[in-house]
Amino acid sequence: MTELTADEARRLILRAQGLLGSDGRQGGVQGMLRRLGAVQLDTISVLARSHELVAYARLGAVGRPAVERAYWDAPARSFEYWCHAACILPIENWPLFAFRRRAYRERRFRWHEVPDSVDKLLQQVRDHGPLTTADVGGAKNGGPWWDWSDSKIGLEWLLDIGEVVCTRRVGWRRVYDLAERVVPAGLLAEDLTDEECVVRLAGIAGRSLGIATRADLIDFLRLKGRSAAILDEALASGAAGLTPVRVAGWPAVRAGRNGSASRSVPNAWADPAALESEPRGRHRTTLVSPFDSLIWHRGRTERVFGFAYQLELYVPKHKRVHGYFTMPVLAGGRLIGRVDPAREGTTLVARKVSLEPGLTSARWVEAMGDALRSAATWVGCDTVRVERADPPELAEALNTTLAR
C-alpha cells in the first residue's frame, strides 16, 4: 500500500485542485470546471460571487464576464444541479445524477410541498419556454427568503427530477428549459443504474480532491443511505478506480472485530494519476472563497492544513471573531490566515486580517499583501485599506506594503 506523509498528501491535493503548478490554468474556466467536477453556487456577493472567486483563485485575473460565459452559454456546456450543494457541473455529467433525480421523484417532496399545479408549469415550459420565475409570477410570496411561490417550488421540483434543466442565467435568475431541448441527445439517452452513477461520481470526486477519506468523498457528493453503501462497496472492490493509501497523521480506520486500527487498512484513497508524479511548480497566492471545494469539508480543512475554519456570516455580529465573510488566504501551499473583505467605492477594505498562530508578520506580510492587492485589482479597486489585524502590528505593516 502506498504510504504518504501529510505534506506529500497536501501537495497532491493542491495540484489536483489547480492551485499548484501550471496545469491548473489549462483550458481556462471550462478546463477548471472539469478538473474540479463541481463549482458551488451561492447568492452572497462581497468581492464577487463564489463561482467567480473559485475561477479567480486558480486562473488569476480572468475577466468576470468571461467566467459567466464559460459557465452559462449556448450550446450548453454546464448545468446546475445538486452535488455537494447547488453546483455548476459539466454537461457531460448529466447522466451521472440520474440516481438523485430518481430519488427526488420517489420522494415527491423537497423543502416545500410540491404544488398540484406542477404539471401545468411543465406544460408552460414546453409551450413557451425557456422561462424564468419572473415569467410565471415571481419566485416569492412576499415573506422571508424561503417563502417561495408555488411557481418557484414547482420549477425547482421539475429541476430536481430532471424534467427541466438550468444551463444559463439572466440577471442571476435561473432559466428553466426542457431537458430534452437542452441536454445533448446522446447524454439524455444514457440510462445508468444507481450503482453506475455513484461509482463514476466517486472517481470524479477522487480526481478533484486528489487524496480523500471516505468522509471527504461522502461530503463531496452528499451521499447517504444506499448511495453511501454503494460507495463503500466501490472503494472496497476497486470499482471506483481509486488507489488505497495511508497518510501519516490522518485518522486511522478501525477494522476487525475489536475495532482496532490496522496498518493494513487504508485511511484514504487517491486518484492513481495523482500518484504518478511529484507535484512541481509555483503555489498560488490568493484569497479563497468560503464555498471553494478546497475547503468544503471543515474537518478535511483542519486535517490537511491545520486550519480551523468557520464561516461566521450566520453568527450574530457581536459573537463574530474574524468577520462576516472571512476568506482564507492561501500562500506557499498553506492557509496562512484570513481576511474579512468589504468594498467602499474603489477601495477594498480589509476589516480584519488575521495570521494563523505561530506565523509572524515579518515572514508573511508580503504574501498577505500580494493576495489583497491582486484581489483588489481583479474587482476593479485601486486601493486597499487594512482596518484591524491580529497580530495588531500586521495592520501597519500591510498598509505600508500596500502603499508602495
Side-chain angles (χ1 to χ4, degrees):
M1 184 184 305
T2 301
E3 302 269 348
L4 298 170
T5 66
D7 188 63
E8 287 170 334
R10 177 180 55 82
R11 289 172 57 82
L12 288 168
I13 287 165
L14 287 167
R15 183 176 64 181
Q17 281 278 300
L19 294 162
L20 171 58
S22 60
D23 288 351
R25 295 192 295 275
Q26 293 180 2
V29 179
Q30 275 292 317
M32 178 209 73
L33 175 60
R34 278 157 179 78
R35 277 187 293 277
L36 295 183
V39 170
Q40 185 173 344
L41 293 161
D42 195 84
T43 59
I44 297 170
S45 180
V46 177
L47 295 183
R49 294 196 189 274
S50 184
H51 63 279
E52 298 171 307
L53 292 167
V54 169
Y56 162 75
R58 290 154 178 83
L59 306 176
V62 59
R64 293 169 69 183
V67 175
E68 299 296 309
R69 287 194 299 273
Y71 288 139
W72 295 293
D73 206 350
R77 292 185 287 176
S78 314
F79 72 106
E80 295 184 24
Y81 200 64
W82 306 102
C83 184
H84 169 82
C87 289
I88 306 172
L89 305 160
I91 192 67
E92 59 265 28
N93 291 356
W94 168 267
L96 309 187
F97 287 87
F99 82 105
R100 186 155 287 160
R101 293 191 289 267
R102 284 190 289 265
Y104 275 123
R105 191 181 290 271
E106 292 170 6
R107 181 183 176 196
R108 197 170 173 81
F109 179 82
R110 54 185 346 263
W111 301 297
H112 311 78
E113 292 287 346
V114 179
D116 294 335
S117 59
V118 69
D119 290 336
K120 292 181 180 178
L121 268 175
L122 180 58
Q123 190 61 46
Q124 195 169 349
V125 176
R126 180 170 287 113
D127 293 342
H128 306 291
L131 302 174
T132 70
T133 51
D135 298 316
V136 290
K140 295 177 62 176
N141 284 327
W145 68 266
W146 62 83
D147 186 22
W148 286 359
S149 67
D150 281 356
S151 295
K152 172 66 172 176
I153 296 169
L155 285 171
E156 288 294 301
W157 166 250
L158 291 170
L159 184 143
D160 288 345
I161 64 175
E163 293 291 344
V164 303
V165 64
C166 173
T167 61
R168 64 187 179 95
R169 285 183 175 241
V170 174
W172 194 241
R173 293 193 305 272
R174 277 178 171 160
V175 177
Y176 303 87
D177 202 356
L178 295 181
E180 63 203 57
R181 284 202 290 244
V182 178
V183 179
L187 297 175
L188 204 62
E190 285 195 52
D191 185 19
L192 303 181
T193 65
D194 288 3
E195 289 77 10
E196 290 170 323
C197 291
V198 173
V199 166
R200 287 171 60 177
L201 285 170
I204 290 171
R207 286 191 294 276
S208 172
L209 297 175
I211 310 290
T213 65
R214 173 188 183 274
D216 298 337
L217 297 169
I218 289 284
D219 180 75
F220 188 104
L221 299 168
R222 293 291 203 231
L223 300 178
K224 58 184 179 180
R226 180 170 176 268
S227 297
I230 294 171
L231 173 68
D232 289 337
E233 185 176 336
L235 291 174
S237 68
L242 301 177
T243 300
V245 298
R246 285 191 59 81
V247 181
W250 286 24
V253 175
R254 301 291 171 179
R257 293 181 179 178
N258 61 1
S260 60
S262 170
R263 288 191 60 82
S264 65
V265 177
N267 63 357
W269 280 263
D271 170 23
L275 300 174
E276 292 177 357
S277 61
E278 181 182 346
R280 298 182 183 278
R282 296 182 61 183
H283 290 286
R284 292 285 297 156
T285 297
T286 184
L287 302 184
V288 178
S289 165
F291 307 109
D292 194 300
S293 55
L294 180 71
I295 56 171
W296 268 348
H297 190 297
R298 302 315 191 204
R300 173 181 170 86
T301 303
E302 190 158 5
R303 183 188 339 123
V304 174
F305 296 103
F307 189 87
Y309 181 59
Q310 179 186 13
L311 181 58
E312 296 181 340
L313 62 89
Y314 303 114
V315 175
K317 186 175 182 179
H318 68 282
K319 293 184 177 181
R320 291 173 189 155
V321 175
H322 298 288
Y324 173 77
F325 192 76
T326 309
M327 299 179 68
V329 181
L330 179 70
R334 302 178 185 280
L335 296 177
I336 65 166
R338 56 200 93 199
V339 173
D340 182 29
R343 292 184 64 174
E344 293 180 3
T346 60
T347 298
L348 188 156
V349 180
R351 291 171 172 160
K352 185 174 181 181
V353 178
S354 305
L355 279 177
E356 283 296 278
L359 302 186
T360 64
S361 299
R363 170 68 178 84
W364 292 103
V365 65
E366 292 292 340
M368 187 72 78
D370 287 346
L372 288 168
R373 188 184 292 110
S374 296
T377 301
W378 178 60
V379 298
C381 291
D382 51 25
T383 55
V384 180
R385 185 177 78 249
V386 177
E387 293 186 338
R388 294 188 299 135
D390 182 15
E393 64 270 17
L394 177 61
E396 182 179 354
L398 272 173
N399 280 323
T400 299
T401 297
L402 291 163
R404 293 174 188 163

